[in-house]
């Protein structure tokens, strides 16, 4: 897997996009449930198989929306 760096701001944006997407998919206010699906299993993958793809999508969105290091 290719290692890419995100700025602090892009990482923050990616996290927000990711959590917004999870909320849209589940409509759950249960943070514990969301975090449970994000835990990394023994094989190195998230417990929720779609989580990694969703994360990569969020990172892509953050990069596309990166115009500066300001929020």
């Amino acid at each position: 897997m290719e290692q890419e760096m995100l700025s602090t701001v892009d990482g923050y944006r990616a996290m927000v996009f990711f959590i917004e997407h999870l909320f849209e998919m589940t409509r759950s206010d249960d943070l514990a449930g969301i975090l449970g699906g994000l835990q990394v299993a023994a094989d190195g993958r998230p417990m929720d198989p779609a989580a990694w793809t969703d994360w990569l999508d969020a990172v892509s969105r953050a990069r596309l929306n990166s115009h500066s290091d300001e929020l």
Side-chain angles (χ1 to χ4, degrees):
M1 176 186 327
E2 181 180 331
Q3 295 292 326
E4 298 180 37
M5 299 295 293
L6 286 178
S7 71
T8 302
V9 172
D10 285 346
Y12 184 86
R13 285 184 181 121
M15 181 264 313
V16 171
F17 290 139
F18 184 66
I19 292 173
E20 283 176 343
H21 174 76
L22 291 176
F23 178 74
E24 289 170 5
M25 298 299 295
T26 64
R27 290 291 178 194
S28 173
D29 290 331
D30 181 16
L31 184 57
I34 290 171
L35 289 172
L38 298 177
Q39 296 302 306
V40 178
D43 66 0
R45 296 172 189 247
M47 299 297 279
D48 175 354
W52 186 247
T53 301
D54 292 343
W55 174 250
L56 294 177
D57 289 343
V59 168
S60 293
R61 283 185 65 191
R63 285 191 174 127
L64 289 174
N65 289 292
S66 178
H67 301 292
S68 70
D69 280 341
E70 296 180 13
L71 291 174

